[in-house]
Amino acid sequence: MVFSGNPGTGKTTVARIMSRIYRSLDILSKGHLVEVDRSGLVAGYVGQTALKTQEAVQKALGGVLFIDEAYALTTRGPQDYGQEAVETLLKAMEDHRDDLIVIVAGYIELMEEFVESNPGLESRFNRFIHFPDYTVEEMMGIFRMRCDKAGYTLAPEAGDELKRILAEKSKDSIGFGNARGVRNLFEKALSRQANRLAAMGQLTREQLMEIRAEDLEDASAEPEKDTDI
Ligand SMILES: Nc1ncnc2c1ncn2[C@@H]1O[C@H](COP(=O)(O)OP(=O)(O)OP(=O)(O)O)[C@@H](O)[C@H]1O
Ligand SMILES: [Mg+2]
């Protein structure tokens, strides 16, 4: 399977969930996820790469081997050890077809090139799933979900501020990182809120658990400081 999409769109998360689902359906025996990138498969000397790749495969048996930025294995030319990793991988997929799922992930165009670079890859990686960037509404939902889970409430005016910030930040979806950016924003907001409360005296439970617009403003500030509102 091939997962494509920008950073933070949920590729690793979905791969992990799928692995557990396959376990519960008895398609996989363990249902865990082993995540590697080029450096987890390729070694520096002739013959070492096959061993390194085999080790990764052994760890992943019974679950999902998730290879991030897989195109880095084939873009450095035929002399590169990445080819050795690909050959080893293809053999392992054949040998362990009953108890190993391999998912490769990365940017869509590069993943297409990667798969087309080798007929073996093309025949085994023929299902593409694209993960689009989250919309502002979806990211609002993710932020609210994080608040709910942690017992926080979002002050009414903080919702508007959040929407404004997410709309602005998501113009650079790669830099912001979709749901990962939302998580970072949430974590910064909590620490900002804690600092704000530390300067106050008696606190009610509501105050302790409330995220206000000002907590978000500072949480989203760039190093050069946001403009005042
Ligand atoms: N739909 C979602 N709801 C809530 N949280 C999400 C959702 N999608 C992703 N996340 C969270 O966003 C973060 C990034 O997700 P994940 O690691 O799955 O992205 P990714 O696509 O694998 O990113 P990368 O390409 O950088 O590896 C994680 O903390 C994950 O829990
Ligand atoms: Mg990932």
Side-chain angles (χ1 to χ4, degrees):
M1 234 173 303
V2 183
F3 284 5
S4 61
N6 283 332
T9 47
K11 301 181 294 296
T12 303
T13 306
V14 169
R16 190 167 283 126
I17 294 169
M18 276 180 44
S19 191
R20 289 201 216 111
I21 293 173
Y22 283 138
R23 162 76 185 89
S24 67
L25 296 174
D26 272 337
I27 296 171
L28 291 172
S29 59
K30 289 191 191 156
H32 62 307
L33 179 109
V34 173
E35 187 167 1
V36 294
D37 59 12
R38 180 186 157 93
S39 67
L41 299 176
V42 175
Y45 304 97
V46 181
Q48 301 273 308
T49 294
L51 289 175
K52 201 167 182 180
T53 302
Q54 279 158 12
E55 264 171 40
V57 167
Q58 283 301 323
K59 269 192 222 153
L61 281 187
V64 167
L65 178 63
F66 184 92
I67 308 175
D68 230 347
E69 322 270 335
Y71 48 78
L73 294 172
T74 52
T75 43
R76 299 191 192 175
Q79 297 304 314
D80 181 69
Y81 297 140
Q83 295 294 342
E84 192 178 329
V86 169
E87 297 306 329
T88 309
L89 204 62
L90 287 172
K91 177 158 189 325
M93 289 175 76
E94 189 64 40
D95 294 349
H96 305 290
R97 56 192 321 150
D98 294 336
D99 204 19
L100 175 70
I101 289 176
V102 179
I103 298 178
V104 291
Y107 293 112
I108 188 159
E109 293 86 7
L110 293 166
M111 293 314 292
E112 280 166 0
E113 270 175 44
F114 167 73
V115 169
E116 285 162 12
S117 74
N118 177 321
L121 290 174
E122 210 163 14
S123 65
R124 282 195 188 73
F125 294 98
N126 45 23
R127 263 179 292 169
F128 278 73
I129 301 182
H130 183 64
F131 290 64
D133 285 337
Y134 287 116
T135 63
V136 170
E137 292 302 324
E138 286 167 337
M139 289 193 284
M140 298 267 303
I142 292 173
F143 193 98
R144 285 187 188 282
M145 190 189 73
R146 287 197 175 269
C147 286
D148 286 348
K149 270 196 183 163
Y152 286 88
T153 56
L154 203 57
E157 80 290 353
D160 299 336
E161 179 63 12
L162 178 64
K163 190 168 191 171
R164 191 191 64 75
I165 292 170
L166 289 173
E168 180 61 33
K169 294 273 169 192
S170 60
K171 286 181 194 161
D172 171 18
S173 63
I174 296 180
F176 182 61
N178 283 283
R180 184 175 295 113
V182 176
R183 188 183 72 193
N184 292 339
L185 187 66
F186 177 71
E187 282 167 5
K188 282 191 215 154
L190 293 193
S191 94
R192 174 70 195 160
Q193 187 248 23
N195 286 337
R196 174 170 61 78
L197 296 182
M200 293 167 62
Q202 281 282 320
L203 294 168
T204 64
R205 188 180 157 72
E206 283 68 34
Q207 285 173 318
L208 274 174
M209 301 317 286
E210 186 180 53
I211 295 176
R212 305 181 62 99
E214 60 206 273
D215 304 327
L216 295 169
E217 282 160 27
D218 279 66
S220 77
E222 298 296 335
E224 68 266 18
K225 202 177 186 306
D226 241 351
T227 43
D228 290 334
I229 295 170

Short mmCIF file of all heavy atoms in Angstrom, two decimals, residues 10-62:
data_model
loop_
_atom_site.label_atom_id
_atom_site.label_comp_id
_atom_site.label_asym_id
_atom_site.label_seq_id
_atom_site.Cartn_x
_atom_site.Cartn_y
_atom_site.Cartn_z
N GLY A 10 -1.95 12.34 9.05
CA GLY A 10 -2.46 11.14 9.71
C GLY A 10 -2.00 9.82 9.11
O GLY A 10 -2.56 8.76 9.44
N LYS A 11 -0.99 9.84 8.27
CA LYS A 11 -0.57 8.61 7.59
C LYS A 11 -0.08 7.55 8.60
O LYS A 11 -0.52 6.40 8.57
CB LYS A 11 0.54 8.90 6.57
CG LYS A 11 0.10 9.89 5.49
CD LYS A 11 1.20 10.14 4.48
CE LYS A 11 2.41 10.85 5.04
NZ LYS A 11 2.15 12.22 5.53
N THR A 12 0.82 7.96 9.47
CA THR A 12 1.35 7.00 10.45
C THR A 12 0.24 6.52 11.38
O THR A 12 0.14 5.33 11.71
CB THR A 12 2.49 7.63 11.28
OG1 THR A 12 3.50 8.08 10.38
CG2 THR A 12 3.10 6.64 12.25
N THR A 13 -0.60 7.45 11.78
CA THR A 13 -1.69 7.11 12.70
C THR A 13 -2.63 6.09 12.06
O THR A 13 -3.00 5.09 12.70
CB THR A 13 -2.49 8.39 13.05
OG1 THR A 13 -1.58 9.37 13.54
CG2 THR A 13 -3.55 8.11 14.09
N VAL A 14 -2.98 6.31 10.81
CA VAL A 14 -3.90 5.39 10.14
C VAL A 14 -3.23 4.03 9.93
O VAL A 14 -3.86 2.98 10.10
CB VAL A 14 -4.40 5.99 8.81
CG1 VAL A 14 -5.12 4.94 7.97
CG2 VAL A 14 -5.32 7.17 9.09
N ALA A 15 -1.93 4.04 9.60
CA ALA A 15 -1.22 2.76 9.43
C ALA A 15 -1.26 1.96 10.73
O ALA A 15 -1.46 0.74 10.73
CB ALA A 15 0.22 3.02 9.00
N ARG A 16 -1.09 2.67 11.84
CA ARG A 16 -1.10 1.99 13.15
C ARG A 16 -2.48 1.40 13.43
O ARG A 16 -2.60 0.26 13.89
CB ARG A 16 -0.69 3.00 14.23
CG ARG A 16 -0.42 2.38 15.57
CD ARG A 16 0.27 3.34 16.53
NE ARG A 16 1.67 3.49 16.25
CZ ARG A 16 2.30 4.65 16.04
NH1 ARG A 16 1.59 5.78 16.05
NH2 ARG A 16 3.57 4.70 15.79
N ILE A 17 -3.50 2.18 13.13
CA ILE A 17 -4.87 1.70 13.37
C ILE A 17 -5.17 0.49 12.47
O ILE A 17 -5.74 -0.51 12.92
CB ILE A 17 -5.90 2.83 13.11
CG1 ILE A 17 -5.74 3.94 14.15
CG2 ILE A 17 -7.33 2.30 13.13
CD1 ILE A 17 -6.50 5.22 13.84
N MET A 18 -4.74 0.60 11.21
CA MET A 18 -4.98 -0.52 10.28
C MET A 18 -4.32 -1.79 10.77
O MET A 18 -4.87 -2.89 10.66
CB MET A 18 -4.42 -0.18 8.90
CG MET A 18 -5.39 0.62 8.07
SD MET A 18 -4.68 0.97 6.46
CE MET A 18 -3.98 -0.60 6.04
N SER A 19 -3.11 -1.63 11.30
CA SER A 19 -2.39 -2.79 11.78
C SER A 19 -3.19 -3.49 12.88
O SER A 19 -3.31 -4.72 12.90
CB SER A 19 -1.02 -2.34 12.30
OG SER A 19 -0.21 -3.44 12.55
N ARG A 20 -3.77 -2.70 13.76
CA ARG A 20 -4.57 -3.29 14.85
C ARG A 20 -5.84 -3.94 14.32
O ARG A 20 -6.27 -4.98 14.81
CB ARG A 20 -4.92 -2.21 15.88
CG ARG A 20 -3.72 -1.79 16.68
CD ARG A 20 -4.13 -1.15 17.99
NE ARG A 20 -3.21 -0.08 18.31
CZ ARG A 20 -3.53 1.21 18.31
NH1 ARG A 20 -4.75 1.60 18.03
NH2 ARG A 20 -2.63 2.11 18.59
N ILE A 21 -6.43 -3.30 13.31
CA ILE A 21 -7.65 -3.89 12.72
C ILE A 21 -7.31 -5.24 12.09
O ILE A 21 -8.01 -6.23 12.30
CB ILE A 21 -8.28 -2.94 11.68
CG1 ILE A 21 -8.82 -1.69 12.37
CG2 ILE A 21 -9.39 -3.64 10.91
CD1 ILE A 21 -9.32 -0.60 11.42
N TYR A 22 -6.21 -5.30 11.35
CA TYR A 22 -5.81 -6.56 10.73
C TYR A 22 -5.53 -7.63 11.78
O TYR A 22 -5.80 -8.81 11.57
CB TYR A 22 -4.60 -6.35 9.83
CG TYR A 22 -4.93 -5.71 8.50
CD1 TYR A 22 -4.13 -4.72 7.95
CD2 TYR A 22 -6.07 -6.10 7.79
CE1 TYR A 22 -4.44 -4.13 6.73
CE2 TYR A 22 -6.38 -5.52 6.58
CZ TYR A 22 -5.57 -4.53 6.05
OH TYR A 22 -5.89 -3.96 4.85
N ARG A 23 -4.99 -7.20 12.91
CA ARG A 23 -4.75 -8.14 14.00
C ARG A 23 -6.09 -8.70 14.49
O ARG A 23 -6.24 -9.90 14.69
CB ARG A 23 -4.01 -7.42 15.14
CG ARG A 23 -4.05 -8.08 16.49
CD ARG A 23 -3.11 -9.27 16.56
NE ARG A 23 -3.25 -9.97 17.83
CZ ARG A 23 -4.11 -10.95 18.04
NH1 ARG A 23 -4.93 -11.33 17.09
NH2 ARG A 23 -4.16 -11.55 19.21
N SER A 24 -7.07 -7.82 14.67
CA SER A 24 -8.35 -8.29 15.22
C SER A 24 -9.09 -9.16 14.21
O SER A 24 -9.94 -9.96 14.58
CB SER A 24 -9.21 -7.12 15.69
OG SER A 24 -9.61 -6.36 14.58
N LEU A 25 -8.75 -9.01 12.94
CA LEU A 25 -9.37 -9.87 11.91
C LEU A 25 -8.53 -11.13 11.66
O LEU A 25 -8.83 -11.90 10.76
CB LEU A 25 -9.48 -9.09 10.59
CG LEU A 25 -10.39 -7.87 10.59
CD1 LEU A 25 -10.28 -7.11 9.27
CD2 LEU A 25 -11.84 -8.26 10.86
N ASP A 26 -7.47 -11.28 12.47
CA ASP A 26 -6.57 -12.44 12.33
C ASP A 26 -5.82 -12.48 11.00
O ASP A 26 -5.37 -13.54 10.57
CB ASP A 26 -7.33 -13.76 12.52
CG ASP A 26 -7.37 -14.14 14.00
OD1 ASP A 26 -6.49 -13.66 14.74
OD2 ASP A 26 -8.29 -14.88 14.39
N ILE A 27 -5.70 -11.35 10.36
CA ILE A 27 -4.90 -11.29 9.13
C ILE A 27 -3.43 -11.14 9.50
O ILE A 27 -2.54 -11.67 8.83
CB ILE A 27 -5.38 -10.11 8.24
CG1 ILE A 27 -6.83 -10.39 7.79
CG2 ILE A 27 -4.46 -9.90 7.04
CD1 ILE A 27 -7.49 -9.22 7.10
N LEU A 28 -3.18 -10.43 10.59
CA LEU A 28 -1.81 -10.29 11.11
C LEU A 28 -1.78 -10.92 12.51
O LEU A 28 -2.77 -10.88 13.24
CB LEU A 28 -1.43 -8.81 11.21
CG LEU A 28 -1.23 -8.05 9.91
CD1 LEU A 28 -1.05 -6.56 10.17
CD2 LEU A 28 -0.05 -8.60 9.12
N SER A 29 -0.61 -11.47 12.88
CA SER A 29 -0.56 -12.15 14.18
C SER A 29 -0.31 -11.21 15.35
O SER A 29 -0.70 -11.50 16.47
CB SER A 29 0.50 -13.25 14.15
OG SER A 29 1.76 -12.69 13.87
N LYS A 30 0.35 -10.07 15.11
CA LYS A 30 0.65 -9.18 16.25
C LYS A 30 -0.04 -7.83 16.16
O LYS A 30 -0.51 -7.30 17.14
CB LYS A 30 2.16 -8.95 16.33
CG LYS A 30 2.95 -10.17 16.79
CD LYS A 30 4.37 -9.72 17.10
CE LYS A 30 5.31 -10.87 17.32
NZ LYS A 30 6.70 -10.45 17.03
N GLY A 31 -0.01 -7.23 14.98
CA GLY A 31 -0.71 -5.95 14.82
C GLY A 31 0.05 -4.74 15.30
O GLY A 31 -0.55 -3.73 15.66
N HIS A 32 1.37 -4.82 15.32
CA HIS A 32 2.16 -3.65 15.72
C HIS A 32 2.66 -2.91 14.48
O HIS A 32 2.45 -3.36 13.34
CB HIS A 32 3.33 -4.06 16.60
CG HIS A 32 4.31 -4.96 15.90
ND1 HIS A 32 3.92 -6.13 15.26
CD2 HIS A 32 5.64 -4.87 15.72
CE1 HIS A 32 4.99 -6.70 14.73
NE2 HIS A 32 6.04 -5.96 14.99
N LEU A 33 3.30 -1.78 14.69
CA LEU A 33 3.81 -0.99 13.58
C LEU A 33 5.29 -0.69 13.81
O LEU A 33 5.68 -0.26 14.88
CB LEU A 33 3.04 0.33 13.48
CG LEU A 33 3.51 1.26 12.36
CD1 LEU A 33 2.46 1.31 11.25
CD2 LEU A 33 3.75 2.66 12.87
N VAL A 34 6.09 -0.98 12.81
CA VAL A 34 7.50 -0.62 12.87
C VAL A 34 7.74 0.44 11.81
O VAL A 34 7.50 0.20 10.62
CB VAL A 34 8.41 -1.85 12.62
CG1 VAL A 34 9.87 -1.43 12.52
CG2 VAL A 34 8.23 -2.86 13.74
N GLU A 35 8.16 1.62 12.25
CA GLU A 35 8.32 2.74 11.32
C GLU A 35 9.80 2.96 11.06
O GLU A 35 10.59 3.10 11.99
CB GLU A 35 7.68 4.01 11.92
CG GLU A 35 7.66 5.17 10.96
CD GLU A 35 6.76 6.31 11.42
OE1 GLU A 35 6.16 6.22 12.51
OE2 GLU A 35 6.65 7.29 10.67
N VAL A 36 10.17 2.97 9.80
CA VAL A 36 11.57 3.23 9.44
C VAL A 36 11.61 4.23 8.29
O VAL A 36 10.62 4.47 7.62
CB VAL A 36 12.31 1.94 8.96
CG1 VAL A 36 12.45 0.94 10.08
CG2 VAL A 36 11.61 1.32 7.76
N ASP A 37 12.79 4.81 8.09
CA ASP A 37 13.03 5.56 6.86
C ASP A 37 14.28 4.98 6.22
O ASP A 37 14.76 3.92 6.63
CB ASP A 37 13.14 7.07 7.14
CG ASP A 37 14.26 7.38 8.12
OD1 ASP A 37 15.07 6.48 8.41
OD2 ASP A 37 14.32 8.52 8.61
N ARG A 38 14.79 5.65 5.23
CA ARG A 38 15.97 5.13 4.53
C ARG A 38 17.07 4.69 5.49
O ARG A 38 17.65 3.61 5.34
CB ARG A 38 16.49 6.23 3.57
CG ARG A 38 17.72 5.81 2.79
CD ARG A 38 18.30 6.96 1.97
NE ARG A 38 19.70 6.67 1.71
CZ ARG A 38 20.15 6.05 0.62
NH1 ARG A 38 19.31 5.70 -0.33
NH2 ARG A 38 21.43 5.78 0.49
N SER A 39 17.33 5.51 6.50
CA SER A 39 18.45 5.20 7.40
C SER A 39 18.20 3.94 8.22
O SER A 39 19.14 3.35 8.75
CB SER A 39 18.73 6.39 8.32
OG SER A 39 17.64 6.56 9.20
N GLY A 40 16.96 3.52 8.33
CA GLY A 40 16.65 2.30 9.06
C GLY A 40 16.77 1.05 8.20
O GLY A 40 16.62 -0.08 8.70
N LEU A 41 17.04 1.22 6.92
CA LEU A 41 17.13 0.07 6.01
C LEU A 41 18.50 -0.03 5.33
O LEU A 41 18.95 -1.11 5.00
CB LEU A 41 16.06 0.19 4.91
CG LEU A 41 14.60 0.22 5.36
CD1 LEU A 41 13.69 0.44 4.16
CD2 LEU A 41 14.21 -1.07 6.07
N VAL A 42 19.11 1.14 5.11
CA VAL A 42 20.32 1.18 4.30
C VAL A 42 21.55 1.36 5.19
O VAL A 42 21.54 2.19 6.09
CB VAL A 42 20.23 2.35 3.28
CG1 VAL A 42 21.53 2.49 2.50
CG2 VAL A 42 19.07 2.13 2.33
N ALA A 43 22.58 0.56 4.93
CA ALA A 43 23.83 0.68 5.68
C ALA A 43 24.93 1.24 4.78
O ALA A 43 24.72 1.44 3.59
CB ALA A 43 24.24 -0.69 6.22
N GLY A 44 26.09 1.47 5.34
CA GLY A 44 27.15 2.15 4.62
C GLY A 44 28.05 1.27 3.77
O GLY A 44 28.83 1.77 2.98
N TYR A 45 27.97 -0.04 3.92
CA TYR A 45 28.90 -0.91 3.21
C TYR A 45 28.18 -1.98 2.41
O TYR A 45 27.05 -2.37 2.74
CB TYR A 45 29.84 -1.60 4.22
CG TYR A 45 30.57 -0.63 5.08
CD1 TYR A 45 30.09 -0.33 6.35
CD2 TYR A 45 31.71 0.02 4.62
CE1 TYR A 45 30.74 0.59 7.15
CE2 TYR A 45 32.38 0.94 5.41
CZ TYR A 45 31.89 1.22 6.68
OH TYR A 45 32.53 2.14 7.46
N VAL A 46 28.85 -2.49 1.40
CA VAL A 46 28.28 -3.55 0.56
C VAL A 46 27.85 -4.73 1.42
O VAL A 46 28.59 -5.13 2.31
CB VAL A 46 29.34 -4.05 -0.47
CG1 VAL A 46 28.74 -5.13 -1.37
CG2 VAL A 46 29.86 -2.90 -1.29
N GLY A 47 26.68 -5.25 1.16
CA GLY A 47 26.24 -6.45 1.88
C GLY A 47 25.56 -6.17 3.20
O GLY A 47 24.80 -6.98 3.70
N GLN A 48 25.82 -4.98 3.78
CA GLN A 48 25.23 -4.67 5.10
C GLN A 48 23.77 -4.26 5.00
O GLN A 48 23.00 -4.43 5.93
CB GLN A 48 26.01 -3.51 5.73
CG GLN A 48 27.47 -3.77 5.93
CD GLN A 48 27.74 -4.46 7.24
OE1 GLN A 48 27.28 -3.98 8.27
NE2 GLN A 48 28.43 -5.57 7.20
N THR A 49 23.44 -3.69 3.85
CA THR A 49 22.07 -3.18 3.71
C THR A 49 21.05 -4.30 3.75
O THR A 49 20.01 -4.18 4.40
CB THR A 49 21.97 -2.37 2.40
OG1 THR A 49 22.78 -1.20 2.53
CG2 THR A 49 20.55 -1.95 2.12
N ALA A 50 21.37 -5.41 3.07
CA ALA A 50 20.43 -6.54 3.09
C ALA A 50 20.17 -6.98 4.53
O ALA A 50 19.02 -7.23 4.92
CB ALA A 50 20.98 -7.70 2.26
N LEU A 51 21.23 -7.03 5.32
CA LEU A 51 21.08 -7.44 6.73
C LEU A 51 20.23 -6.45 7.50
O LEU A 51 19.35 -6.83 8.27
CB LEU A 51 22.46 -7.55 7.40
CG LEU A 51 23.33 -8.71 6.95
CD1 LEU A 51 24.71 -8.63 7.60
CD2 LEU A 51 22.66 -10.04 7.30
N LYS A 52 20.51 -5.19 7.28
CA LYS A 52 19.77 -4.15 8.01
C LYS A 52 18.28 -4.19 7.64
O LYS A 52 17.41 -4.07 8.50
CB LYS A 52 20.38 -2.78 7.69
CG LYS A 52 20.07 -1.74 8.72
CD LYS A 52 20.94 -0.52 8.53
CE LYS A 52 20.65 0.50 9.62
NZ LYS A 52 21.46 1.71 9.47
N THR A 53 18.01 -4.35 6.35
CA THR A 53 16.62 -4.42 5.91
C THR A 53 15.94 -5.67 6.48
O THR A 53 14.80 -5.62 6.94
CB THR A 53 16.55 -4.41 4.37
OG1 THR A 53 17.18 -3.23 3.89
CG2 THR A 53 15.11 -4.44 3.88
N GLN A 54 16.68 -6.79 6.46
CA GLN A 54 16.11 -8.02 7.02
C GLN A 54 15.78 -7.86 8.51
O GLN A 54 14.77 -8.37 8.99
CB GLN A 54 17.08 -9.19 6.84
CG GLN A 54 17.01 -9.80 5.45
CD GLN A 54 18.26 -10.58 5.08
OE1 GLN A 54 19.11 -10.85 5.93
NE2 GLN A 54 18.38 -10.94 3.82
N GLU A 55 16.64 -7.14 9.21
CA GLU A 55 16.37 -6.89 10.64
C GLU A 55 15.06 -6.12 10.82
O GLU A 55 14.26 -6.44 11.69
CB GLU A 55 17.49 -6.05 11.25
CG GLU A 55 18.55 -6.86 11.95
CD GLU A 55 19.74 -5.98 12.35
OE1 GLU A 55 19.51 -4.83 12.80
OE2 GLU A 55 20.88 -6.43 12.17
N ALA A 56 14.89 -5.10 10.00
CA ALA A 56 13.66 -4.30 10.10
C ALA A 56 12.45 -5.18 9.79
O ALA A 56 11.42 -5.11 10.47
CB ALA A 56 13.73 -3.12 9.14
N VAL A 57 12.59 -6.04 8.78
CA VAL A 57 11.50 -6.93 8.41
C VAL A 57 11.20 -7.88 9.57
O VAL A 57 10.03 -8.09 9.93
CB VAL A 57 11.86 -7.74 7.14
CG1 VAL A 57 10.90 -8.90 6.93
CG2 VAL A 57 11.87 -6.82 5.92
N GLN A 58 12.23 -8.44 10.18
CA GLN A 58 12.03 -9.36 11.31
C GLN A 58 11.24 -8.70 12.43
O GLN A 58 10.33 -9.28 13.01
CB GLN A 58 13.38 -9.85 11.86
CG GLN A 58 14.05 -10.92 11.02
CD GLN A 58 13.19 -12.17 10.85
OE1 GLN A 58 12.49 -12.59 11.78
NE2 GLN A 58 13.21 -12.74 9.65
N LYS A 59 11.60 -7.44 12.72
CA LYS A 59 10.91 -6.71 13.78
C LYS A 59 9.44 -6.49 13.45
O LYS A 59 8.59 -6.44 14.32
CB LYS A 59 11.56 -5.33 13.98
CG LYS A 59 12.67 -5.33 15.01
CD LYS A 59 13.02 -3.89 15.34
CE LYS A 59 14.53 -3.73 15.43
NZ LYS A 59 15.01 -2.39 15.13
N ALA A 60 9.18 -6.33 12.15
CA ALA A 60 7.82 -5.97 11.73
C ALA A 60 6.94 -7.20 11.48
O ALA A 60 5.72 -7.05 11.32
CB ALA A 60 7.87 -5.11 10.47
N LEU A 61 7.52 -8.38 11.44
CA LEU A 61 6.72 -9.58 11.13
C LEU A 61 5.52 -9.68 12.06
O LEU A 61 5.65 -9.51 13.27
CB LEU A 61 7.57 -10.85 11.27
CG LEU A 61 8.50 -11.19 10.11
CD1 LEU A 61 9.13 -12.56 10.33
CD2 LEU A 61 7.76 -11.15 8.78
N GLY A 62 4.38 -9.96 11.49
CA GLY A 62 3.17 -10.01 12.28
C GLY A 62 2.48 -8.66 12.37
O GLY A 62 1.43 -8.53 12.99
#
